[in-house]
Amino acid sequence: MLVLLPPSEGKASSGRGAPLKPESLSLPGLTDARAAVLDELVDLCAADEDKAREVLGLSEGLRGEIAKNTELRTAGARPAGEIYTGVLYDALDLASLDPAAKRRAARSLLVFSGLWGAVRVTDRIPSYRCSMGVRLPGLGALGAHWRAPMAAVLPEVAGDGLVLDLRSSAYAAAWKPKGEVAGRTATVRVLHAPTRKVVSHFNKATKGRIVRSLLTASSAPRTPGELVEALRDLGYEVEAEAPSQAGRPWALDVLVDEIH
């Protein structure tokens, strides 16, 4: 099973570890595309702080994030699973998983990123600020920048098993499973059962809990249908809609009564 996750806007500090080694990151087919984003982002933030803040869509209160981006090559790096924070990652709580579940997380979780394209939770990266919705002056929209390299790399990474897609729309734009891979992909919405509405906070928290539940139960569904049964066995209320034609993903709605 491959689980596709969004990153978090908020991130832990880089810490005092060794700096980034781009060649050590997973998915080496993304190396050139990563270098292009890294080079332009660092140069932009070093050259013109006001322009960088505008391009990155940062408020005045987040101006310090620009200085952080200028140091990406020298800042300490930590496992991505420690860098990403926020509601989904708090609920997932990778640090508290038992050793077997941590090994499953290292194999199955893939975090999408405007800067790195996608990384494993064990990949060592510095803290940064660059969302997938950014349009860099030279490279243009990052979602479009990543489409070709992702299309070349991700089908092999997906292998022949289930793809569980929990990304937000901005990150989903960087790679959309096609053909046979799409047929074994399941996208998930989390709905407040009484209102049938998506509520951002508990949507993220529930997705984090779903991933944690699958990892700790050592559940390994290989198809969207098996995923539906696995989630129901874990106590989730799931409504599933099989695709109306081949080459489309399954759509799963997880219903939650309480917002927490």
Side-chain angles (χ1 to χ4, degrees), residues 63 91 96 130 160 166 181 184 208 221 246:
R63 185 177 285 270
S96 70
C130 184
D160 59 1
L166 301 178
V181 179
R184 48 187 165 83

Side-chain angles (χ1 to χ4, degrees), residues 128-208:
Y128 68 96
R129 191 70 174 230
C130 184
S131 71
M132 190 66 79
V134 164
R135 179 183 292 273
L136 291 175
L139 291 177
L142 290 179
H145 169 76
W146 285 112
R147 282 180 200 138
M150 290 284 192
V153 170
L154 265 294
E156 182 178 354
V157 176
D160 59 1
L162 171 71
V163 178
L164 174 55
D165 190 352
L166 301 178
R167 298 172 296 166
S168 57
S169 58
Y171 291 89
W175 181 61
K176 295 184 179 180
K178 298 182 182 299
E180 185 268 337
V181 179
R184 48 187 165 83
T185 296
T187 63
V188 173
R189 293 190 307 174
V190 181
L191 303 181
H192 183 217
T195 63
R196 310 291 295 191
K197 292 181 179 179
V198 174
V199 181
S200 177
H201 179 90
F202 89 99
N203 171 57
K204 295 175 182 177
T206 302
K207 286 180 177 179

Side-chain angles (χ1 to χ4, degrees), residues 8-220:
S8 57
E9 288 298 325
K11 299 174 182 68
S13 63
S14 293
R16 297 180 179 275
L20 171 72
K21 295 181 179 179
E23 70 278 4
S24 72
L25 297 178
S26 302
L27 285 61
L30 301 179
T31 298
D32 290 346
R34 288 168 175 153
V37 181
L38 179 62
D39 288 347
E40 183 168 356
L41 181 63
V42 171
D43 289 349
L44 170 69
C45 291
D48 189 331
E49 191 172 283
D50 289 332
K51 182 177 181 181
R53 189 165 68 86
E54 179 182 354
V55 169
L56 297 176
L58 300 178
S59 66
E60 180 64 33
L62 292 174
R63 185 177 285 270
E65 298 289 285
I66 299 167
K68 182 165 66 176
N69 281 348
T70 67
E71 300 173 349
L72 288 172
R73 294 191 182 93
T74 58
R78 297 167 60 184
E82 297 177 13
I83 289 290
Y84 293 116
T85 60
V87 175
L88 187 155
Y89 291 91
D90 285 347
L92 174 53
D93 194 9
L94 287 167
S96 70
L97 293 175
D98 64 52
K102 285 181 178 177
R103 290 192 293 271
R104 287 189 285 273
R107 292 193 302 268
S108 63
L109 305 187
L110 199 64
V111 184
F112 274 61
S113 162
L115 174 53
W116 313 114
V119 292
R120 304 279 190 187
V121 292
T122 50
D123 284 331
R124 298 181 66 85
I125 59 173
S127 185
Y128 68 96
R129 191 70 174 230
C130 184
S131 71
M132 190 66 79
V134 164
R135 179 183 292 273
L136 291 175
L139 291 177
L142 290 179
H145 169 76
W146 285 112
R147 282 180 200 138
M150 290 284 192
V153 170
L154 265 294
E156 182 178 354
V157 176
D160 59 1
L162 171 71
V163 178
L164 174 55
D165 190 352
L166 301 178
R167 298 172 296 166
S168 57
S169 58
Y171 291 89
W175 181 61
K176 295 184 179 180
K178 298 182 182 299
E180 185 268 337
V181 179
R184 48 187 165 83
T185 296
T187 63
V188 173
R189 293 190 307 174
V190 181
L191 303 181
H192 183 217
T195 63
R196 310 291 295 191
K197 292 181 179 179
V198 174
V199 181
S200 177
H201 179 90
F202 89 99
N203 171 57
K204 295 175 182 177
T206 302
K207 286 180 177 179
R209 285 192 285 270
I210 285 172
V211 177
R212 183 179 177 88
S213 295
L214 292 169
L215 292 172
T216 56
S218 67
S219 182

